[in-house]
């Protein structure tokens, strides 16, 4: 799944659950739950096996996705002020909701291989439910819209 739906749900959890000690672990867990929802994203592992690197198209998708995630996170965190507890809960919940994917970054971008990253990658692949681009993006749009509803 792209990062924006993960972050949107993590932020929605932070907004809906006033206790950051509960919201932050829930936001982290939401990552794995969303990965079990049929979705589409660039097939990074396949590209690495086929080309030995990520394609420019994939880098563009990842870049746009991360920008959208940062804008959404920054906007909601800013709107939470002056409530500093909610501000930090939004920032941290957004971050931990995408953390498992961020942990894979060094593996794919820099070729860093170690047993911990291998375990994360295998687990992530085992729970992924892929869909074609239409249905896979539709589910992600619905997650974002539902999250925005909760946030508002």
């Amino acid at each position: 799944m792209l990062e924006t739906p993960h972050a949107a749900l993590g932020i929605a959890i932070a907004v809906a659950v006033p206790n950051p000690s509960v919201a932050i672990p829930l936001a982290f867990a939401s990552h794995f739950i969303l990965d079990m929802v049929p979705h589409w994203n660039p097939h990074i592992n396949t590209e690495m096996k086929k080309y030995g690197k990520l394609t420019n198209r994939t880098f563009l998708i990842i870049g746009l996705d991360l920008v959208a995630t940062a804008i959404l996170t920054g906007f909601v965190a800013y709107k939470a002020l002056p409530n500093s507890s909610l501000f930090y809960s939004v920032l941290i919940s957004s971050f931990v909701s995408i953390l498992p994917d961020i942990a894979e970054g060094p593996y794919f971008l820099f070729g860093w291989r170690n047993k911990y990253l291998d375990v994360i990658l295998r687990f992530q692949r085992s729970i992924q439910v892929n869909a074609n681009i239409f249905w896979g993006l539709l589910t992600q749009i619905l997650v974002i819209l539902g999250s925005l509803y909760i946030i508002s």
Side-chain angles (χ1 to χ4, degrees), residues 15-63:
V15 169
V17 179
N19 184 344
S21 299
V22 176
I24 293 168
L26 285 176
F28 181 74
S30 75
H31 180 93
F32 304 104
I33 294 166
L34 278 185
D35 274 352
M36 292 185 259
V37 172
H39 62 278
W40 174 90
N41 52 262
H43 296 282
I44 294 172
N45 198 43
T46 303
E47 286 184 13
M48 291 300 291
K49 286 180 181 175
K50 187 173 182 179
Y51 306 117
K53 63 180 181 143
L54 300 180
T55 64
N56 290 336
R57 176 179 173 259
T58 294
F59 272 116
L60 177 64
I61 292 167
I62 291 170

Side-chain angles (χ1 to χ4, degrees), residues 59-130:
F59 272 116
L60 177 64
I61 292 167
I62 291 170
L64 292 173
D65 183 33
L66 290 174
V67 167
T69 298
I71 290 170
L72 175 63
T73 302
F75 178 76
V76 177
Y78 174 76
K79 295 299 267 179
L81 291 172
N83 182 341
S84 61
S85 176
L86 181 56
F87 173 83
Y88 288 114
S89 185
V90 165
L91 291 177
I92 296 168
S93 293
S94 177
F95 178 74
V96 300
S97 71
I98 64 173
L99 186 59
D101 288 343
I102 290 172
E104 294 178 355
Y107 186 93
F108 289 113
L109 297 176
F110 307 118
W112 294 354
R113 307 289 193 259
N114 67 53
K115 62 183 177 180
Y116 303 109
L117 287 176
D118 288 340
V119 168
I120 292 169
L121 233 59
R122 274 195 306 275
F123 177 69
Q124 290 263 80
R125 274 192 299 237
S126 74
I127 63 170
Q128 294 282 331
V129 178
N130 295 311

Side-chain angles (χ1 to χ4, degrees), residues 1-13 26-27 29-40 65 69 72 76 97-98 129 134-152:
M1 186 165 283
L2 298 171
E3 304 310 330
T4 306
H6 282 300
L9 184 56
I11 293 166
I13 291 168
L26 285 176
S30 75
H31 180 93
F32 304 104
I33 294 166
L34 278 185
D35 274 352
M36 292 185 259
V37 172
H39 62 278
W40 174 90
D65 183 33
T69 298
L72 175 63
V76 177
S97 71
I98 64 173
V129 178
F134 175 79
W135 293 111
L137 287 177
L138 179 63
T139 59
Q140 294 182 78
I141 290 167
L142 292 174
V143 168
I144 293 169
L145 292 175
S147 297
L148 290 174
Y149 178 78
I150 292 167
I151 292 166
S152 68

